Amino acid sequence: MVLAANHGEKEGSEGIPTLDFRGYLIDKSKTGGWLAAGLILGTELAERICVMGISMNLVTYLVGTLNLPSAKSATILTNFMGTLNLLGLLGGFLADAKLGRYITVAISATIAALGVCLLTVATAIPSMRPPQCNEVRKQHHECIQASGKQLALLFVALYTIALGGGGIKSNVSGFGSDQFDTTDPKEEKKMIFFFNRFYFFISIGSLFAVVVLVYIQDNVGRSWGYGISAGTMVLAVAILLCGTPFYRFKRPQGSPLTVIWRVLILAWNKRNLSMPSDPSFLNGYHEANVPYTEKFRFLDKAAILDENCSKDENKNDVWLVSTVTEVEEVKMVIKLIPIWSTCILFWTIYSQMNTFTIEQATFMDRKVSSFVVPSGSLSAFLFITILLFTSLNEKVTVPLARKLTHNTQGLTSLQRVGIGLVFSICAMVVSANIERERRENAVKNNTIISAFWLVPQFFLVGAGEAFAYVGQLEFFIREAPERMKSLSTGFFLTTLSMGFFVSSLLVSIVDKVTNKRWLKSNMNKGKLDYFYWMLAILGALNFILFVVLAMRHQYKVQNNMKPNNVSGEKELVSANDVIIGVDGKEEA
């Protein structure tokens, strides 16, 4: 792909050129659109098949085959998922700074394919597992745990997958959204549904993983299940490369982290300077690609032309003075941080569906006639719910909200996130009550209740994810500067990462504070319902903080000035108008 173009360029939003793979002016009839976006999403589909096929059933392998304790197994899984999403920040940085989204996705997918191949080998070699342990020895805690050497290849495989998966996740959605021109009303309308369809598409992959691959892993062999995942990822790389002529590309604009760091340093160095009487005196004010805002005015000092900039050649020295565009881009990133912090706990709650909920199922009746449902396959209800709600959102909820609010988005990104948070709180309340009922029946009545009692908590978390994931992804991509789109996706993925890491931290703290009384490998002797109640309370407190911050947030599209209906003066619209419906619509 040609990264420099001298043959005419189509300017995208915020002035960034949109090119074809030769570097020429794009032909909209031959590039982009749903064909290109669909080919790109094939890579995310494969990544989701691989990662979900691992995460939804890894705990049963660690506990049942490698004989590791329940809390340790949950920590291994959440640390793997946390690292995968954290590495999305690295993938976003590389794409925005140097490689571009296309090359980053291609390289990352290749690395992920290698990682799944290693995982296949790690689970296929008998010497990588401890001696098999029967039920009697398990009850007396006499099983031999996997050694460090036996776990080494498994960890290498998992973190190779994490490296590749992080690069894919942080760039696929941004690269897919690049296939739509937001300055074209027709393509802008398609863009509105892109993120919803994006998550619907990858949820299909998740459903396939938990129904088909988990069954193969439990009944045919782990190595067979992971081998299918490896083949899927290799095929996805081939499809991605074959679609190259159909894509639209945007050249990387340099390291966004360098821009952020430079603006912060210059603002600090010039902290003692007086602000100019009018912002038009700031460097690059009239050439700015984004509107000037009054918020975080202390950063404006980075764009003050001081005595060091008296010579004309020094005005272009980026280490002496920033432009208003750069300062405003940093402001956009800073404005994301409060909302980012309140999204973390949703993923802490979600991570319980991968760990303790799956382990709960192993203590419950999973028979359907003569067929025993694999515990990991119960996650199918999670993804069925996600598919159901993403379809309802697109066909019913969004059109209805659009009619009621006259807002082209229907539901704003923050409204989606808020709904998701409410669902997650309800899920933990239901989870706590079901676990208490399960344990009391097992201990007092010596009966095993049906595993399908877990369906309500899967349903509630799945419904929450359908709103929260799409809302968070849309929020971070739309609210970030255009040239930091991949980095902002990586920033969004750090909420998932931190959610999993917080889960690991909470498990460790609770395990220590309760002297291992709450979270036991034998759940009949533990108090898992107390852990769920703790998450419900934390979720409620987090939701209150989210509402306060969301009502204060100013959407990027709202930074443009609009006339005041009464006086004719100009005013900025706050997110409060959107959240509680004061104004009834957003300004585009």
Side-chain angles (χ1 to χ4, degrees):
M1 185 184 73
V2 180
L3 295 180
N6 301 312
H7 314 285
E9 298 175 341
K10 178 176 177 59
E11 296 291 321
S13 59
E14 298 183 26
I16 295 179
T18 304
L19 317 170
D20 66 11
F21 77 108
R22 294 189 179 91
Y24 287 87
L25 174 69
I26 62 167
D27 183 343
K28 293 178 67 172
S29 65
K30 296 181 180 179
T31 61
W34 281 112
L35 171 61
L39 294 173
I40 294 166
L41 291 181
T43 308
E44 177 61 17
L45 173 67
E47 183 271 341
R48 186 51 65 99
I49 288 174
C50 293
V51 172
M52 288 298 107
I54 295 167
S55 64
M56 289 300 176
N57 207 29
L58 185 61
V59 166
T60 60
Y61 179 70
L62 296 174
V63 175
T65 303
L66 300 186
N67 303 326
L68 299 180
S70 176
K72 184 177 181 180
S73 300
T75 300
I76 288 173
L77 175 57
T78 50
N79 284 345
F80 160 66
M81 294 297 292
T83 302
L84 185 150
N85 289 290
L86 185 62
L87 287 171
L89 197 60
L90 174 63
F93 167 75
L94 291 175
D96 283 340
K98 188 68 178 177
L99 299 179
R101 295 177 190 120
Y102 169 74
I103 295 176
T104 304
V105 170
I107 293 174
S108 298
T110 304
I111 293 172
L114 173 62
V116 185
C117 290
L118 290 174
L119 185 62
T120 304
V121 174
T123 54
I125 300 175
S127 61
M128 292 292 102
R129 302 187 293 271
Q132 192 171 1
C133 189
N134 59 40
E135 289 299 322
V136 176
R137 295 180 66 186
K138 284 182 180 179
Q139 290 179 3
H140 291 84
H141 307 288
E142 296 175 351
C143 300
I144 299 174
Q145 294 184 25
S147 66
K149 290 182 180 179
Q150 290 173 324
L151 291 173
L153 183 57
L154 176 70
F155 285 154
V156 169
L158 287 176
Y159 287 99
T160 301
I161 295 169
L163 179 61
I168 294 170
K169 292 174 78 69
S170 60
N171 289 285
V172 163
S173 55
F175 189 33
S177 65
D178 285 344
Q179 309 312 308
F180 302 95
D181 181 5
T182 55
T183 64
D184 183 331
K186 291 183 179 179
E187 294 200 14
E188 166 68 14
K189 188 174 181 179
K190 295 178 181 178
M191 174 72 172
I192 291 172
F193 287 109
F194 169 73
F195 297 109
N196 211 47
R197 292 178 180 176
F198 165 79
Y199 204 62
F200 181 90
F201 193 71
I202 61 179
S203 294
I204 292 289
S206 300
L207 187 61
F208 172 82
V210 299
V211 173
V212 178
L213 292 186
V214 167
Y215 178 82
I216 292 173
Q217 290 166 16
D218 282 1
N219 295 278
V220 180
R222 290 272 167 175
S223 55
W224 280 98
Y226 296 143
I228 292 172
S229 296
T232 302
M233 185 56 73
V234 171
L235 179 62
V237 173
I239 292 174
L240 177 74
L241 297 176
C242 289
T244 303
F246 302 105
Y247 304 142
R248 297 175 186 175
F249 303 89
K250 291 185 178 180
R251 293 178 297 177
Q253 301 296 301
S255 169
L257 291 181
T258 302
V259 173
I260 295 171
W261 181 246
R262 192 170 62 230
V263 168
L264 294 175
I265 289 176
L266 286 173
W268 173 259
N269 290 340
K270 298 181 179 184
R271 63 189 183 279
N272 294 324
L273 296 180
S274 300
M275 289 293 297
S277 57
D278 191 277
S280 61
F281 292 112
L282 296 173
N283 184 41
Y285 177 86
H286 297 289
E287 295 80 27
N289 294 324
V290 292
Y292 172 80
T293 61
E294 294 285 339
K295 207 166 187 178
F296 305 121
R297 289 194 66 205
F298 65 93
L299 292 175
D300 292 346
K301 293 189 176 184
I304 293 177
L305 294 164
D306 56 10
E307 64 273 6
N308 294 325
C309 305
S310 56
K311 295 182 180 180
D312 289 339
E313 60 268 22
N314 289 344
K315 292 181 180 180
N316 296 320
D317 189 333
V318 294
W319 287 104
L320 289 179
V321 63
S322 297
T323 64
V324 168
T325 296
E326 291 172 335
V327 171
E328 289 301 321
E329 287 176 339
V330 175
K331 289 181 182 181
M332 290 180 195
V333 174
I334 292 176
K335 283 167 59 180
L336 299 178
I337 294 176
I339 299 297
W340 173 88
S341 66
T342 56
C343 292
I344 291 172
L345 201 64
F346 175 87
W347 299 107
T348 299
I349 291 174
Y350 172 86
S351 67
Q352 309 316 309
M353 300 301 104
N354 297 6
T355 53
F356 291 119
T357 301
I358 299 299
E359 199 172 347
Q360 274 179 280
T362 64
F363 287 82
M364 302 172 80
D365 181 10
R366 292 177 281 118
K367 287 184 179 179
V368 177
S369 186
S370 60
F371 177 73
V372 178
V373 179
S375 19
S377 291
L378 287 169
S379 303
F381 292 103
L382 176 72
F383 300 109
I384 289 171
T385 304
I386 293 170
L387 291 170
L388 173 64
F389 271 85
T390 48
S391 297
L392 286 174
N393 287 347
E394 184 172 335
K395 303 297 183 183
V396 179
T397 309
V398 172
L400 180 62
R402 186 181 292 128
K403 288 181 180 179
L404 294 174
T405 64
H406 306 291
N407 173 9
T408 56
Q409 282 183 273
L411 290 172
T412 67
S413 54
L414 291 182
Q415 286 172 333
R416 290 174 186 261
V417 174
I419 294 171
L421 292 178
V422 171
F423 272 115
S424 70
I425 298 166
C426 295
M428 287 299 95
V429 173
V430 170
S431 298
N433 283 289
I434 290 174
E435 171 56 16
R436 185 194 58 182
E437 187 71 17
R438 184 206 65 78
R439 190 181 66 249
E440 288 183 352
N441 273 275
V443 175
K444 295 180 180 180
N445 304 325
N446 198 27
T447 58
I448 302 175
I449 68 173
S450 171
F452 292 99
W453 276 99
L454 297 174
V455 171
Q457 61 203 66
F458 280 120
F459 176 86
L460 290 167
V461 172
E465 187 178 358
F467 284 99
Y469 189 103
V470 174
Q472 290 177 35
L473 182 61
E474 180 184 359
F475 175 77
F476 284 98
I477 286 185
R478 291 175 72 103
E479 294 300 293
E482 179 68 20
R483 65 173 170 178
M484 298 183 187
K485 186 181 288 186
S486 292
L487 185 66
S488 68
T489 308
F491 192 50
F492 152 65
L493 291 173
T494 60
T495 63
L496 283 74
S497 172
M498 293 304 296
F500 286 108
F501 285 137
V502 168
S503 178
S504 296
L505 179 63
L506 288 176
V507 167
S508 298
I509 292 174
V510 168
D511 220 26
K512 186 174 181 178
V513 171
T514 65
N515 196 23
K516 301 184 182 295
R517 288 194 299 268
W518 283 16
L519 307 175
K520 290 180 176 288
S521 294
N522 185 346
M523 288 189 170
N524 292 338
K525 297 180 179 180
K527 297 286 185 181
L528 180 61
D529 52 323
Y530 290 0
F531 184 70
Y532 285 151
W533 277 117
M534 181 188 72
L535 288 176
I537 294 169
L538 291 175
L541 295 174
N542 180 72
F543 176 71
I544 294 171
L545 178 60
F546 167 80
V547 171
V548 172
L549 295 174
M551 292 177 70
R552 294 181 178 181
H553 179 79
Q554 276 184 343
Y555 286 102
K556 184 172 73 172
V557 294
Q558 295 170 331
N559 286 336
N560 294 317
M561 308 297 273
K562 75 171 190 176
N564 184 295
N565 292 331
V566 178
S567 63
E569 296 176 352
K570 302 288 185 176
E571 64 176 7
L572 284 173
V573 185
S574 72
N576 185 59
D577 296 335
V578 181
I579 294 293
I580 63 174
V582 173
D583 199 47
K585 63 180 179 179
E586 265 186 80
E587 291 294 312

